[in-house]
Amino acid sequence: MRARATKEAIWIGAVGVTLTGRVVDPWRALVGLPPEHRPEEVPRFPVLLSGGEHWRKVWWGANPQSPSGRLRAEGLARYLCRFWNGKHAPTRWIASVTLYRYWAKPEWERPERSLLAHVPCAVEEGSLEVEP
């Protein structure tokens, strides 16, 4: 019989709020997963949420305790704004993104989280006008 792993799983999550108030996860969309926000879910394979080697390096450096880490986290949040809004119609744009670092041990039912950054998304003036 194998012993259960006790190592913590760590992953990133984003909370995007659309202009209509819907909550989505633009990070999941970026890494090719459905964008439904799942704050209570402990993923079976958190490595799938890392986005691969390139993104892992970005978000591991996004430590809000240091000035450079805070800038990196805010830059990543702004990138998620541009990514999401560039792929969706204006009626589905997000108004803000909040980044979190989640962690959990295998036996935990719910993950813990810490805030990395919260940024409003830039919306071009006049881009939400409805044509007559």
Side-chain angles (χ1 to χ4, degrees):
M1 181 196 267
R2 291 177 55 178
R4 285 188 79 174
T6 58
K7 185 177 179 182
E8 282 186 339
I10 301 172
W11 66 99
I12 194 169
V15 177
V17 180
T18 67
L19 297 172
T20 60
R22 182 174 170 235
V23 177
V24 296
D25 187 337
W27 175 257
R28 289 175 61 92
L30 179 71
V31 297
L33 298 170
E36 290 79 27
H37 178 60
R38 300 176 177 172
E40 307 302 322
E41 178 182 288
V42 176
R44 184 169 178 187
F45 301 106
V47 70
L48 297 178
L49 295 176
S50 72
E53 188 67 16
H54 169 75
W55 289 110
R56 184 184 65 79
K57 289 178 181 179
V58 170
W59 65 264
W60 269 107
N63 178 359
Q65 304 303 320
S66 73
S68 63
R70 187 171 36 258
L71 287 173
R72 185 176 287 193
E74 291 170 357
L76 179 55
R78 282 191 298 277
Y79 177 79
L80 289 173
C81 288
R82 289 190 310 273
F83 170 81
W84 181 274
N85 291 347
K87 300 236 181 246
H88 293 86
T91 56
R92 295 192 59 215
W93 283 359
I94 52 178
S96 67
V97 170
T98 305
L99 287 181
Y100 293 100
R101 180 173 286 144
Y102 292 90
W103 67 94
K105 290 188 178 181
E107 65 274 11
W108 293 4
E109 291 182 22
R110 297 175 59 180
E112 296 288 326
R113 72 180 186 184
S114 63
L115 177 68
L116 294 177
H118 173 78
V119 299
C121 297
V123 177
E124 295 178 24
E125 195 165 321
S127 59
L128 296 179
E129 294 176 357
V130 178
E131 292 183 10

